[in-house]
Amino acid sequence: MEKTKIQSISKSKIVDYSEKEIRNFWLKNELNKKTSFIEEILSNYKNSISNELTKIQDSSIIKFILQNIENSFFNTFIQNNPILNSIWEDIKKNVVFNYILKDTQDSVICIQTEQIDDAKLITEIFNASKRRNRIYIFTNEEPEKLKELAGACLIRYGVKNIGSFILINPNSNNSQGILFTAPFLESSFSSSNIALELDKNQINILFRFFSYNFWNKATHEIIDNFETAKSVSEPPLDFLPNIQDFCDFDFVKQKISEQTDNLILTVPRIETNHLVDFKKIQNSKFFTNFQNNDFDLLHSIERNENEILANQNQINLRLIISDNNESWLIPKTHISNEDNIFALQLNDLQKSKLKKVIDFLFENAKYEYHFSKYRKELVNRNVRLISDLNNEITIKELDSQKAEDINSPEFVEESNFESQEPKFSDDNISCKIEFKWNINPFYLPQNAKRAKIYEEWHKVENEFQNICHQLEKSISDNENRNITEKLKRFILGKKQSFSKNIEELNKFKAIKLSDLEISKRKERITEFNNLIKNVSVNIFEIETEVKKSEIDNEIEKLIENKDTKEKELKQFIEKNEKEIEQKETNKQQKLEEFCNKYDTKISELGKFKSELQRKKDKKKQKIEEDQKILEELQEIEGFNFRNKFEEEKKRFESEIRKIEQEIERKEKEKSKIGNETDQQTSSLNFVISGKESKSKNQKLEFTVPEKLLSLPKIGELYEQGNQKFLAIEFWEDYEIGKQETERLNAKLCAKL
């Protein structure tokens, strides 16, 4: 059966987050694309409106525009269309300027605004001043753009007004008025501000509000010279402040605070203010911008069963509509305690118009605020988290995510390895996430090196095999020795023993000691050393017999040599004895003749010789004669045949003694062969140890170092510093590998 390789695996898991909540977010609405009545008008008449707007004279057309266009924010449609947005800007300007100021003469015109810089409106005011109109302008600060109007109208400033309105002939039967929810700035007409036509009662209330503030609260005025603004003069009449109407702040605040249920509110932002306590409102609808809100307050509002809708485009209107009570329009985006606040109390017509516009806004609102919803309720919906409003995200039903790969810090059993999971990171937007990751086993460190134990065992195994081969060679050499006839029977007996030795030796050659358990290895080494001993004994016995045989042969040769020498001595004596006697007799005769010749005796030849050798007091001739006599004597005496004979005889005897001594030495040498010391220096000892042992007690045996551990039964052993690693390749080897790591004091790991 094929084994399972240990390697990295890929895993996946689907984690269900559908019951998790998405908190504090704007939910993007799925809008039905409907063409509203206003869109139809603009679609059908935009070209004629754009080309002919400045020529409009018929007030009925202007009223039509007022009724159908002026009160719409067009956040969804117009502001996202550059052409229609431009048309809308021109429409609002012409409604304000043409409808209110055009052809007005012999009238009183009251204009209140926070600021004014629109050139077209300033021109219309200047033109109106030429038609015998008395014009009063009230601003928050010195209106630098109105320099051309100095002397044409009375300008006062110094109060923090809100919004803008124009009143014509207030407190008269033909009064007219318009309220604009922003300053008369060029930029105001390009944003989502509205203009409302005022009824008579509203005009009267606003005129009283204007008169009181204009004459009693303004700090500076400009009459003739714009460069020299003066402090205000005394009012021509006593003007009383508004009481119990929509320009009475306390009255407005009280009325608004009484309304808490079933309201429709549009506010530029949700924040705490001193006019409306949002926390008390319930069962109502809010429309606002989706940015810059107090989100703790948002949450509080939602908890009171309120619906909160929003668009991305700026909403500049503060509006409170109630079906059962008063409805209010606050004509400024952001108000503060310092503002001169009023809130227009809407009439039924205004309320109806604005209600339609608000309904349109709600129908087309892009976002709805929710504090909390389960993700499963938001599948495939888009949201903007309060914590990251700049990014719109889609709540996915299923997403795929690459989880962090797991690099196992240690080697574990297969089922535990495969069950490892990373830390799953919720993306906070998906109902389910399929996580994918890889699990890498605890691999052998890259810089780990093969353990030294392999090299040590390699040396041991080589030594073991070398001894086996040398034993085999020694047996073969001894089996094939050139031997004498008398040793053939002895060697034949040893060959039978050698055959058994070879059989055992072949079994040992097939053994790998490093694979054996310690107990088994010790047993086999003991058997092997017994084999070495047995072979050694056999070789020793052969070598002993061979040596003895060789010495016997040498002794025999020495004896033969001795016999030969003794015969030669005998022959030498017999031959030379007679010759020497004859030679000595002849010599004696010659000496006697010499003595007779020179008148001396044989016994006195020494003295005679000395005299001949003396040269003192002798003449030369005499010396020469004596020298000749001396030479004659020396010739007769000549060689001493007896001495030479004796010397030669002694040489023969010396050689015979040396042979006898060598025979004796060989006999002693033979007697010593076979003792224990000889066995230590046998040829097998040289094979195994490589040199002659100097120790008399050294045993001829193979050993494995005590501290040398057995090689692992499975895998390979590596080292990194002092740490050992056992690397395995297959899961089936795990259990054995685990046991081996305990024995080897190593860490289990996977082989790369």
Side-chain angles (χ1 to χ4, degrees):
M1 184 176 178
E2 188 175 356
K3 288 187 174 183
T4 308
K5 188 174 178 61
I6 300 169
Q7 57 189 354
S8 298
I9 60 172
S10 297
K11 298 281 285 183
S12 65
K13 180 178 180 179
I14 295 177
V15 180
D16 190 347
Y17 296 103
S18 59
E19 296 291 335
K20 293 275 187 179
E21 294 179 332
I22 299 289
R23 284 178 169 263
N24 219 13
F25 64 94
W26 290 104
L27 173 63
K28 190 173 184 178
N29 288 323
E30 297 173 339
L31 300 174
N32 294 321
K33 298 291 185 179
K34 295 180 180 179
T35 303
S36 68
F37 173 66
I38 298 171
E39 291 173 3
E40 289 178 3
I41 294 173
L42 290 175
S43 177
N44 293 331
Y45 297 105
K46 64 180 179 181
N47 291 329
S48 61
I49 292 172
S50 180
N51 296 328
E52 304 296 331
L53 190 59
T54 56
K55 302 177 183 178
I56 293 176
Q57 302 292 333
D58 190 342
S59 63
S60 63
I61 295 177
I62 294 177
K63 286 185 178 180
F64 171 80
I65 294 172
L66 279 171
Q67 291 171 358
N68 295 286
I69 298 175
E70 64 174 3
N71 295 322
S72 176
F73 301 114
F74 293 97
N75 289 341
T76 303
F77 183 74
I78 293 178
Q79 288 193 354
N80 293 327
N81 187 311
I83 296 175
L84 298 181
N85 192 41
S86 177
I87 294 172
W88 174 234
E89 180 181 344
D90 287 341
I91 289 172
K92 285 192 288 187
K93 282 189 179 183
N94 280 281
V95 167
V96 173
F97 306 149
N98 289 353
Y99 179 51
I100 297 299
L101 297 175
K102 194 171 181 63
D103 299 330
T104 300
Q105 59 184 4
D106 298 316
S107 299
V108 173
I109 301 174
C110 299
I111 301 173
Q112 177 175 306
T113 185
E114 297 171 52
Q115 293 175 280
I116 183 169
D117 70 1
D118 187 84
K120 188 172 183 180
L121 176 57
I122 293 171
T123 299
E124 290 296 335
I125 294 172
F126 182 77
N127 292 337
S129 70
K130 298 288 181 90
R131 296 192 294 273
R132 300 177 304 280
N133 291 306
R134 286 180 295 160
I135 302 174
Y136 302 89
I137 300 176
F138 191 19
T139 64
N140 291 13
E141 298 174 351
E142 183 178 5
E144 294 183 1
K145 298 291 185 178
L146 300 184
K147 288 183 180 181
E148 295 180 2
L149 298 182
C153 55
L154 177 58
I155 302 170
R156 284 194 167 196
Y157 60 90
V159 176
K160 291 192 70 174
N161 295 310
I162 64 172
S164 301
F165 57 80
I166 299 175
L167 307 177
I168 298 175
N169 292 324
N171 285 343
S172 68
N173 292 328
N174 60 343
S175 61
Q176 294 179 343
I178 188 167
L179 176 74
F180 190 56
T181 58
F184 287 140
L185 299 175
E186 181 71 29
S187 59
S188 301
F189 295 99
S190 61
S191 58
S192 57
N193 298 302
I194 65 167
L196 272 183
E197 186 178 12
L198 301 170
D199 63 24
K200 185 175 180 60
N201 181 56
Q202 291 169 335
I203 292 171
N204 290 338
I205 292 173
L206 284 173
F207 177 61
R208 183 171 189 171
F209 181 70
F210 176 87
S211 298
Y212 177 77
N213 289 297
F214 187 86
W215 295 110
N216 291 326
K217 287 191 174 182
T219 59
H220 294 81
E221 64 179 17
I222 300 171
I223 300 176
D224 296 320
N225 190 344
F226 194 87
E227 302 299 331
T228 57
K230 300 186 300 182
S231 298
V232 296
S233 57
E234 291 295 323
L237 298 170
D238 289 332
F239 294 96
L240 298 175
N242 297 72
I243 298 175
Q244 298 296 304
D245 61 32
F246 62 75
C247 289
D248 179 355
F249 175 75
D250 293 331
F251 173 78
V252 171
K253 186 174 182 180
Q254 180 185 349
K255 286 293 184 182
I256 290 176
S257 64
E258 291 172 355
Q259 298 174 229
T260 57
D261 288 296
N262 299 308
L263 303 177
I264 297 174
L265 300 95
T266 64
V267 289
R269 67 176 64 162
I270 302 295
E271 62 182 354
T272 302
N273 66 74
H274 59 285
L275 190 60
V276 183
D277 187 355
F278 292 136
K279 291 183 179 180
K280 293 182 178 180
I281 296 174
Q282 56 189 10
N283 302 312
S284 298
K285 287 186 177 182
F286 284 77
F287 194 90
T288 186
N289 300 303
F290 86 126
Q291 289 182 316
N292 304 318
N293 294 295
D294 180 337
F295 293 108
D296 289 333
L297 187 54
L298 264 178
H299 182 205
S300 298
I301 293 172
E302 194 218 28
R303 279 204 307 263
N304 290 339
E305 305 298 324
N306 293 305
E307 183 180 359
I308 309 172
L309 302 173
N311 277 340
Q312 286 176 278
N313 299 318
Q314 185 69 25
I315 302 300
N316 294 330
L317 187 65
R318 286 183 175 273
L319 181 64
I320 302 172
I321 295 178
S322 172
D323 289 334
N324 303 319
N325 294 303
E326 299 90 347
S327 297
W328 308 87
L329 171 64
I330 303 166
K332 186 179 180 181
T333 305
H334 306 293
I335 57 176
S336 66
N337 292 331
E338 294 78 24
D339 288 330
N340 192 23
I341 297 173
F342 72 92
L344 182 67
Q345 187 174 348
L346 301 176
N347 58 37
D348 291 340
L349 180 60
Q350 292 166 339
K351 180 178 175 180
S352 175
K353 288 180 183 179
L354 290 176
K355 181 68 165 57
K356 289 180 181 179
V357 173
I358 297 304
D359 288 343
F360 174 82
L361 286 176
F362 276 108
E363 287 174 9
N364 293 277
K366 265 195 171 183
Y367 297 99
E368 181 177 357
Y369 174 78
H370 294 277
F371 177 72
S372 175
K373 271 187 177 295
Y374 292 122
R375 291 183 202 176
K376 64 183 180 181
E377 302 177 273
L378 301 170
V379 174
N380 297 326
R381 300 289 297 276
N382 294 334
V383 301
R384 288 182 184 264
L385 301 176
I386 297 305
S387 57
D388 186 15
L389 290 173
N390 292 326
N391 293 310
E392 188 170 279
I393 56 178
T394 302
I395 306 302
K396 300 176 183 178
E397 184 171 10
L398 176 65
D399 194 17
S400 180
Q401 190 178 119
K402 180 69 173 69
E404 186 176 357
D405 289 344
I406 295 175
N407 296 312
S408 302
E410 61 182 15
F411 201 89
V412 294
E413 187 267 333
E414 184 178 12
S415 61
N416 292 335
F417 168 75
E418 293 181 351
S419 64
Q420 291 182 98
E421 292 183 350
K423 183 179 180 181
F424 298 126
S425 179
D426 182 8
D427 63 5
N428 298 314
I429 59 172
S430 299
C431 288
K432 295 179 180 179
I433 301 177
E434 182 181 17
F435 291 98
K436 297 179 180 180
W437 70 96
N438 295 322
I439 305 177
N440 302 315
F442 178 59
Y443 279 118
L444 174 69
Q446 289 185 351
N447 56 351
K449 296 180 179 179
R450 206 161 186 258
K452 293 178 181 177
I453 191 173
Y454 289 100
E455 185 179 344
E456 294 170 357
W457 267 113
H458 180 70
K459 291 178 181 178
V460 170
E461 297 283 7
N462 280 349
E463 181 185 355
F464 181 72
Q465 291 299 324
N466 286 338
I467 292 174
C468 288
H469 289 303
Q470 291 300 331
L471 280 173
E472 188 176 37
K473 185 176 182 303
S474 295
I475 291 171
S476 176
D477 290 346
N478 280 279
E479 282 181 325
N480 299 315
R481 276 178 180 271
N482 291 323
I483 54 174
T484 60
E485 191 66 30
K486 67 179 183 179
L487 289 178
K488 283 186 177 180
R489 185 181 295 276
F490 174 76
I491 293 298
L492 185 61
K494 291 299 179 184
K495 280 187 175 181
Q496 294 176 353
S497 179
F498 281 152
S499 294
K500 294 181 180 179
N501 293 154
I502 290 295
E503 288 180 9
E504 290 183 57
L505 192 57
N506 287 333
K507 293 178 182 178
F508 279 113
K509 284 166 67 177
I511 291 174
K512 194 170 182 181
L513 295 175
S514 56
D515 288 342
L516 300 177
E517 293 181 357
I518 294 177
S519 58
K520 191 67 176 177
R521 184 167 69 241
K522 286 182 178 180
E523 182 181 331
R524 299 300 283 162
I525 289 174
T526 299
E527 293 172 358
F528 184 68
N529 284 327
N530 289 336
L531 174 62
I532 293 174
K533 184 177 180 181
N534 185 270
V535 172
S536 177
V537 167
N538 286 328
I539 290 174
F540 172 73
E541 289 176 354
I542 291 172
E543 289 177 345
T544 297
E545 292 303 317
V546 169
K547 285 180 182 179
K548 285 181 178 180
S549 177
E550 289 174 349
I551 291 174
D552 285 340
N553 291 336
E554 289 176 1
I555 290 172
E556 287 177 3
K557 288 180 181 179
L558 287 170
I559 291 171
E560 288 176 1
N561 192 18
K562 177 187 174 187
D563 292 343
T564 301
K565 289 294 181 181
E566 286 175 342
K567 287 179 182 180
E568 289 177 354
L569 176 61
K570 184 178 179 182
Q571 291 173 357
F572 173 77
I573 292 171
E574 290 175 353
K575 179 182 176 182
N576 288 286
E577 279 289 344
K578 291 179 179 181
E579 288 180 1
I580 290 170
E581 287 179 3
Q582 184 63 44
K583 285 180 179 180
E584 287 294 325
T585 301
N586 292 337
K587 180 179 178 182
Q588 193 65 31
Q589 289 176 356
K590 288 181 178 181
L591 283 173
E592 288 176 358
E593 290 175 356
F594 178 83
C595 287
N596 292 331
K597 184 179 178 180
Y598 293 104
D599 194 20
T600 188
K601 296 178 180 178
I602 292 174
S603 61
E604 295 179 355
L605 282 175
K607 184 179 179 182
F608 179 77
K609 215 187 278 186
S610 297
E611 183 60 29
L612 289 174
Q613 291 174 342
R614 188 179 62 80
K615 296 178 179 180
K616 189 175 180 181
D617 301 329
K618 288 182 179 180
K619 293 182 178 181
K620 183 178 180 182
Q621 185 178 358
K622 177 65 175 171
I623 292 172
E624 291 176 354
E625 291 175 356
D626 289 346
Q627 182 63 35
K628 288 180 180 180
I629 296 170
L630 186 61
E631 289 175 358
E632 183 182 355
L633 177 60
Q634 287 176 346
E635 184 180 355
I636 293 170
E637 288 179 341
F639 185 76
N640 191 335
F641 294 103
R642 174 58 61 183
N643 289 342
K644 184 178 180 182
F645 171 78
E646 291 298 329
E647 287 177 1
E648 191 66 20
K649 180 182 176 183
K650 287 179 181 179
R651 182 181 69 77
F652 274 107
E653 291 173 346
S654 176
E655 287 179 356
I656 291 170
R657 281 196 300 273
K658 285 181 180 178
I659 292 172
E660 289 173 345
Q661 289 173 355
E662 182 64 15
I663 290 171
E664 184 180 355
R665 188 181 68 78
K666 288 293 181 181
E667 290 289 352
K668 288 181 179 179
E669 182 181 343
K670 180 182 175 182
S671 67
K672 291 180 180 179
I673 291 174
N675 62 28
E676 212 172 288
T677 304
D678 285 342
Q679 187 171 351
Q680 292 291 328
T681 57
S682 69
S683 62
L684 187 59
N685 181 277
F686 284 109
V687 166
I688 296 177
S689 66
K691 59 183 178 179
E692 185 175 357
S693 173
K694 294 182 180 180
S695 173
K696 293 183 178 180
N697 298 321
Q698 180 178 341
K699 290 184 179 180
L700 190 61
E701 63 180 13
F702 170 78
T703 59
V704 175
E706 288 274 341
K707 294 183 179 179
L708 186 58
L709 297 172
S710 299
L711 289 179
K713 296 177 183 178
I714 207 74
E716 285 188 88
L717 193 65
Y718 289 82
E719 294 173 341
Q720 185 185 52
N722 296 325
Q723 181 61 58
K724 294 176 184 175
F725 298 91
L726 180 60
I728 60 175
E729 291 187 72
F730 304 103
W731 283 113
E732 289 77 4
D733 300 334
Y734 173 78
E735 289 299 332
I736 297 177
K738 196 70 177 172
Q739 295 171 8
E740 286 294 271
T741 56
E742 294 178 6
R743 179 179 69 83
L744 297 167
N745 191 25
K747 280 187 176 182
L748 195 61
C749 64
K751 191 172 183 179
L752 283 167

